[in-house]
Amino acid sequence: MTKIKLLAIDLDGTLLSKTKHISHRNLKALRDYTNSGGTIVLASGRSIVSIKRIVNKIDRFTGIKSKYSIAFNGGYIDDISNDSVIENKIPNEVVKKIWDYAVSNKMVIWVYNKEALDKKAVYTTDTFFNVFVRMGKGINLLKLNENVKDISSYKINLMSTKKKRIHEAKKWILTNLKKDVSISTHPRLLEINLKNINKGFALDLIAKKLNINRNEMAMIGDSNNDLTAMKNVGLPIGVKTKSEYVKKAVKYYLPYKRNAVANAICKYILSLNKQIELIATDLDGTLLHNGDKIILPNVVKSIQKVVDEKKLKFVICTGRSIDDILVVVKNLKIKNLNNVFIIGANGAFIYDVYNQRYIDEKFVKILYAKQVIDLIKSFYDNKKFKGQVGFEIFNSYTVNEIKSNKPLKHFLLNREFVYSNFVKKHPGMMINNWAKRANCTIDDANLSKIYKFVISFENQNDKARVYAALEQFKDVLEISSSGPWNIEVMPQYTNKGSGLKKLCAYLGVDERNTMTIGDELNDVSMLELSKHSVTLLTSCIKVKESAGHVMDYQTSDIVGKAIDQFILNKDNAK
């Protein structure tokens, strides 16, 4: 995708908080963006006086002087670099018609003309003068009279607490002044500009001066007066709004306002401006197709292309054990294995496929392993389980040489499956096919070098009770889940995100230059680490909130489509 060279940002309801301040996170994101070479343009319906104060604050924080700002929805374009101004004003006679209509229909009118701008003021009607004096907060409010000769205006606001009056005013303007002015509609406000003057027009003009095309621009906003700009940029982003027009116009929508600009910059803009060097994908429910556990042929081709031809690093990041993962690697038929790595047991080990060695390993302390097992046994002994419960232990072991043409063999020191209220009655029989290798009980378990436990449940209430009981270990163990029916227990501070962070440091890859793909709660840590993270539309809410991109594709196919869109730049990718 194209690098975003210019970012236009609305102020009220977007960059500014309810108290009209810029959060520190938003400021840091703006600095990161300008440091990457991007240009920020504030685009607001506010006066230029108000915007300049905000521009100065951003400039001081980023250390980079702004080039342009858009005031009065395009009625005033401040060319800061050249110390010049482009003015687009509504003529005198049109302003007076609107003024007369407002007075006769008891509407509030604010007129922003040159004289008012010089006085840091606005013209309003006598009727509402006292009301707005109390609300002005530093804005001088002027009365219009016969001594005011030039009332040609950058913008006019018509306001009313009654929606019906707003509707009637809009209808009157469209009937009588359609050739003279443009309107932006809000629930209790009409913003009126010279015909065809809006944020989109202003942004186009600035883009031409900077020799930037529309695909190299982004717009973040929340209101109808942002629509013209959103339609004129390659990357329109919306934040929480009631406007269905905005929701339909944007490519990405953030259903909140707090630090929305920071999140939009990090997830959607800086990620485009960074070259992806490493892809990390989950297995089950992501790379592997649900049910048959295969990788679709088109996905295999996409992975081969980025690893073998583009020399990107490819990481399988999963809760599985090394033997399972190496089978998947072999099926991918990647030639350039020196760029293939494995993060297994949810980050408990990192494995170099080409050199066939562990880069890092973390184990559950034997003391805590015994305590977890005792906890599970106590549930069973006290008959607290309503359904069958499985207990799987992942230990360290050696692997067969992947380059061999022979089928992979398991050199398993210890991987044990125990279904507590089932095994004692039926030794060797398991409720899951993958557990048929087991013929032991928890009491026989080898507790040395344990990467993780997986506790599987037939009954959801059993899972909830055990999860609550495991809270006592939250300061010494990592508790997670890879699906609705299990709990995973790992060494402290061990998760896919910590594993990926460690691997990036080992490889000298900037974490921001990674693309992560996952679908479950145990993927959240790696999705949050990456600036370019992808999940499925069917993922749970927490996972979708952690990802930068939510894509409507099936399992396995999503990996191929993400590679096609964000790395290979294929037009047919959504």
Side-chain angles (χ1 to χ4, degrees):
M1 293 182 73
T2 307
K3 177 177 179 178
I4 300 301
K5 296 180 180 179
L6 187 152
L7 171 61
I9 310 172
D10 172 52
L11 291 180
D12 297 284
T14 303
L15 180 62
L16 301 181
S17 66
K18 289 182 179 179
T19 58
K20 306 304 178 185
H21 292 91
I22 309 176
S23 71
H24 189 68
R25 268 196 69 192
N26 280 345
L27 283 170
K28 284 181 68 178
L30 293 175
R31 182 173 62 191
D32 289 344
Y33 175 68
T34 55
N35 285 343
S36 74
T39 295
I40 296 170
V41 176
L42 299 186
S44 174
R46 286 188 175 212
S47 76
I48 190 61
V49 175
S50 174
I51 293 174
K52 278 183 176 179
R53 289 196 293 265
I54 299 166
V55 167
N56 290 338
K57 182 172 184 177
I58 293 172
D59 288 356
R60 286 195 300 271
F61 192 90
T62 63
I64 298 174
K65 189 173 177 63
S66 296
K67 295 177 181 179
Y68 290 91
S69 61
I70 299 168
F72 302 124
N73 292 337
Y76 188 105
I77 304 170
D78 192 3
D79 185 344
I80 303 168
S81 301
N82 298 309
D83 195 23
S84 63
V85 172
I86 300 167
E87 297 178 326
N88 301 291
K89 295 191 286 186
I90 305 169
N92 258 325
E93 61 275 14
V94 177
V95 176
K96 287 176 181 176
K97 287 178 183 178
I98 297 172
W99 184 279
D100 291 341
Y101 177 88
V103 172
S104 63
N105 287 275
K106 297 181 179 180
M107 296 186 74
V108 180
I109 183 169
W110 284 35
V111 174
Y112 298 91
N113 72 333
K114 182 69 167 62
E115 182 181 357
L117 185 62
D118 292 340
K119 295 178 180 179
K120 298 182 180 180
V122 63
Y123 279 102
T124 187
T125 52
D126 290 342
T127 309
F128 298 96
F129 186 85
N130 292 330
V131 175
F132 283 103
V133 163
R134 291 196 298 272
M135 295 174 60
K137 296 182 180 179
I139 301 174
N140 297 313
L141 299 165
L142 306 175
K143 298 179 183 180
L144 186 68
N145 55 55
E146 63 276 5
N147 296 323
V148 181
K149 302 299 181 184
D150 182 11
I151 196 66
S152 59
S153 302
Y154 303 112
K155 190 186 80 161
I156 299 170
N157 284 350
L158 273 185
M159 294 169 277
S160 176
T161 56
K162 298 178 180 179
K163 292 184 179 180
K164 184 178 178 181
R165 284 188 181 170
I166 293 294
H167 178 73
E168 290 172 346
K170 180 180 179 180
K171 186 176 179 181
W172 177 82
I173 291 170
L174 291 176
T175 302
N176 298 279
L177 302 172
K178 187 176 182 179
K179 295 181 180 179
D180 302 303
V181 297
S182 296
I183 307 171
S184 292
T185 309
H186 306 270
R188 291 179 174 82
L189 167 70
L190 291 180
E191 292 183 296
I192 306 168
N193 284 89
L194 184 63
K195 185 69 176 178
N196 296 326
I197 298 301
N198 47 54
K199 292 183 182 181
F201 164 83
L203 208 52
D204 273 351
L205 190 149
I206 292 170
K208 288 176 183 177
K209 287 179 174 289
L210 296 175
N211 196 26
I212 294 173
N213 67 54
R214 68 184 306 274
N215 291 325
E216 297 172 323
M217 296 192 293
M219 171 72 193
I220 309 175
D222 73 319
S223 296
N224 289 340
N225 65 352
D226 299 315
L227 286 170
T228 54
M230 288 176 169
K231 291 174 182 177
N232 285 2
V233 301
L235 185 61
I237 302 170
V239 304
K240 187 178 180 180
T241 180
K242 292 181 180 179
S243 173
E244 293 300 321
Y245 296 107
V246 171
K247 291 178 183 177
K248 289 177 182 178
V250 299
K251 184 170 184 178
Y252 300 113
Y253 178 68
L254 301 175
Y256 51 86
K257 289 185 180 290
R258 182 179 172 83
N259 296 319
V261 169
N263 289 336
I265 289 173
C266 292
K267 289 183 176 182
Y268 306 131
I269 296 171
L270 286 180
S271 59
L272 297 181
N273 291 358
K274 294 285 185 179
Q275 183 179 352
I276 295 173
E277 301 177 52
L278 180 150
I279 303 166
T281 179
D282 171 50
L283 272 187
D284 299 282
T286 305
L287 180 60
L288 297 181
H289 194 270
N290 277 342
D292 50 23
K293 299 297 181 183
I294 65 168
I295 306 174
L296 298 176
N298 64 298
V299 178
V300 172
K301 288 181 180 178
S302 293
I303 293 171
Q304 289 172 345
K305 191 172 186 67
V306 293
V307 179
D308 290 335
E309 295 179 25
K310 289 187 171 291
K311 311 301 181 186
L312 269 67
K313 293 172 175 60
F314 184 74
V315 183
I316 292 177
C317 202
T318 178
R320 289 201 189 199
S321 61
I322 191 69
D323 58 328
D324 291 336
I325 310 167
L326 287 174
V327 172
V328 175
V329 171
K330 187 174 183 180
N331 290 337
L332 286 171
K333 298 178 181 178
I334 295 171
K335 297 176 182 177
N336 190 19
L337 285 176
N338 60 324
N339 276 341
V340 179
F341 300 87
I342 291 169
I343 296 174
N346 290 339
F349 67 81
I350 304 172
Y351 186 77
D352 180 339
V353 173
Y354 182 76
N355 292 304
Q356 301 175 45
R357 68 180 184 86
Y358 289 94
I359 296 170
D360 186 68
E361 293 179 277
K362 293 182 73 174
F363 305 110
V364 176
K365 291 183 178 179
I366 292 178
L367 171 65
Y368 303 135
K370 288 179 178 178
Q371 291 176 350
V372 170
I373 289 174
D374 288 343
L375 175 68
I376 302 302
K377 287 174 67 177
S378 71
F379 269 80
Y380 169 71
D381 293 338
N382 293 308
K383 299 182 179 180
K384 292 183 179 180
F385 289 132
K386 303 296 182 184
Q388 298 184 64
V389 177
F391 197 92
E392 181 181 3
I393 299 175
F394 284 71
N395 286 63
S396 176
Y397 61 96
T398 59
V399 296
N400 191 37
E401 183 178 334
I402 193 170
K403 291 183 179 179
S404 171
N405 292 322
K406 298 178 181 179
L408 282 172
K409 296 179 180 178
H410 296 290
F411 291 88
L412 195 58
L413 295 181
N414 209 323
R415 182 183 179 191
E416 301 159 355
F417 306 86
V418 177
Y419 287 81
S420 56
N421 66 344
F422 196 74
V423 171
K424 290 188 176 181
K425 294 181 181 178
H426 306 282
M429 295 180 65
M430 301 295 147
I431 60 173
N432 283 350
N433 290 332
W434 48 260
K436 288 180 179 177
R437 286 172 283 179
N439 56 9
C440 57
T441 66
I442 284 179
D443 295 327
D444 301 320
N446 182 345
L447 303 184
S448 65
K449 294 188 176 182
I450 293 175
Y451 291 135
K452 75 167 186 175
F453 298 118
V454 178
I455 311 166
S456 302
F457 301 88
E458 186 179 46
N459 185 287
Q460 283 280 291
N461 292 328
D462 288 343
K463 176 182 174 178
R465 286 193 293 271
V466 172
Y467 203 100
L470 288 171
E471 280 289 303
Q472 63 184 289
F473 298 105
K474 66 181 182 181
D475 294 330
V476 293
L477 294 171
E478 192 83 15
I479 315 295
S480 185
S481 176
S482 61
W485 304 102
N486 71 29
I487 296 172
E488 298 181 312
V489 182
M490 285 81 62
Q492 188 179 24
Y493 307 127
T494 299
N495 51 55
K496 293 185 181 183
S498 66
L500 183 57
K501 192 169 186 176
K502 192 168 290 185
L503 178 60
C504 285
Y506 175 81
L507 297 173
V509 172
D510 189 330
E511 297 159 16
R512 294 172 296 181
N513 296 3
T514 65
M515 180 170 74
T516 54
I517 313 169
D519 72 309
E520 276 293 350
L521 292 174
N522 66 348
D523 297 314
V524 167
S525 59
M526 75 169 180
L527 293 174
E528 291 180 337
L529 181 70
S530 171
K531 300 300 182 186
H532 211 124
S533 48
V534 180
T535 193
L536 293 91
L537 186 63
T538 53
S539 299
C540 72
I541 293 174
K542 185 175 181 180
V543 176
K544 287 192 280 192
E545 287 178 346
S546 303
H549 305 275
V550 179
M551 302 179 76
D552 189 11
Y553 291 108
Q554 292 186 346
T555 54
S556 190
D557 198 30
I558 189 173
V559 176
K561 296 300 184 184
I563 290 172
D564 289 347
Q565 179 172 339
F566 302 118
I567 299 173
L568 301 179
N569 300 319
K570 288 189 178 180
D571 295 334
N572 60 347
K574 289 185 180 178

